Amino acid sequence: MPRPLWNGAISFGPVTIPVKLMGATEDRSVRFHQVHTEDLGRVRVRKYCEAEDREVSAGEIGKGFEVSKDTLVAVTDEELEKMPLPTAKAIEIVAFVPAASIDPVRLSGDSYFLQYDGQVAVEPYVLIARALTRNTKVAVAKLAWHGRERLVLLRVRDGALVAHVLKWDDEVRDPSELASKDAKVTDSEIDEALLLVESGPGSVK
């Protein structure tokens, strides 16, 4: 398994389960380098400072937050670490909900395995995993990571807990304007479409 990306604990009620978080997927896509077509020389991206019109090194680059147009405030990693996030070292479960109630559009695509951390965590880890499996529900939790609080969905896969990062409500766009309000569809046409769905490739009876 890959090295842990985060250490903390799952927390709900009086229960605390020390866990490690690690990547659940790996990128197998083919990667290409940018090259100069004349001689196949590698094309490099260099970072320039607009104010001084010169190239800067990685050690000179920091973070800046735009408070208004053309006005930036410097923010350091130390300041981000000190932000008073209640879930700084915890995956705080806030609700248990039916899996079908989670809109897939809210899944960000980032998934992580949670591994119990130490023997003391084994029993409560297995307990919550089996409870979720038997109840067919998923857990919604908050997790602070990289200076911001994230929403995650916890579910069970082959006995292991998996965390899927979710989008917050205000990060999901309203699709209502995309739906046509003028199309006239009859019940018989819907029935025909259902037959196609039920008899289509890969359909399971």
Side-chain angles (χ1 to χ4, degrees), residues 5 11 13 17 22 27 36-37 50 52 55 74 77 79 85 90 106 108 113 119 123 141 144 151 196:
L5 303 172
S11 171
I17 310 170
M22 55 196 69
D27 188 1
H36 182 206
T37 55
E50 292 181 350
E52 299 182 14
E55 186 178 348
D77 290 335
E79 289 172 327
L85 295 174
R106 297 188 64 174
S108 72
F113 287 131
Q119 281 301 117
E123 187 173 326
L151 199 63
L196 290 175

Side-chain angles (χ1 to χ4, degrees), residues 157-177:
R157 185 177 190 272
D158 296 333
L161 292 173
V162 188
H164 302 280
V165 180
L166 297 172
K167 297 290 186 183
W168 293 93
D169 287 341
D170 60 359
E171 294 179 308
V172 179
R173 294 172 176 162
D174 182 4
S176 58
E177 63 183 40

Side-chain angles (χ1 to χ4, degrees), residues 6-143:
W6 179 92
N7 292 71
I10 297 173
S11 171
F12 66 104
V15 180
T16 300
I17 310 170
V19 291
K20 301 175 183 178
L21 182 145
M22 55 196 69
T25 61
E26 54 185 313
D27 188 1
R28 295 292 183 89
S29 59
V30 177
R31 297 183 179 277
F32 297 95
H33 295 297
Q34 288 186 322
V35 297
H36 182 206
T37 55
E38 294 294 326
D39 52 23
L40 295 183
R42 288 283 299 275
V43 175
R44 304 290 183 178
V45 177
R46 303 185 185 278
K47 298 184 178 181
Y48 274 76
C49 170
E50 292 181 350
E52 299 182 14
D53 191 27
R54 68 175 180 86
E55 186 178 348
V56 293
S57 65
E60 298 176 275
I61 299 174
K63 297 181 177 68
F65 180 76
E66 189 173 37
V67 294
S68 62
K69 185 174 176 58
D70 299 327
T71 303
L72 295 171
V73 174
V75 180
T76 66
D77 290 335
E78 291 74 19
E79 289 172 327
L80 290 175
E81 288 291 333
K82 293 178 181 177
M83 288 181 65
L85 295 174
T87 54
K89 294 298 289 183
I91 299 175
E92 181 185 342
I93 295 178
V94 295
F96 293 95
V97 300
S101 68
I102 302 295
D103 188 340
V105 77
R106 297 188 64 174
L107 295 170
S108 72
D110 296 327
S111 300
Y112 303 91
F113 287 131
L114 294 173
Q115 181 185 33
Y116 55 82
D117 191 3
Q119 281 301 117
V120 69
V122 174
E123 187 173 326
Y125 180 98
V126 172
L127 183 63
I128 187 174
R130 292 184 179 176
L132 286 173
T133 301
R134 184 177 299 183
N135 193 264
T136 67
K137 285 189 175 182
V138 295
V140 177
K142 292 180 180 179
L143 161 68

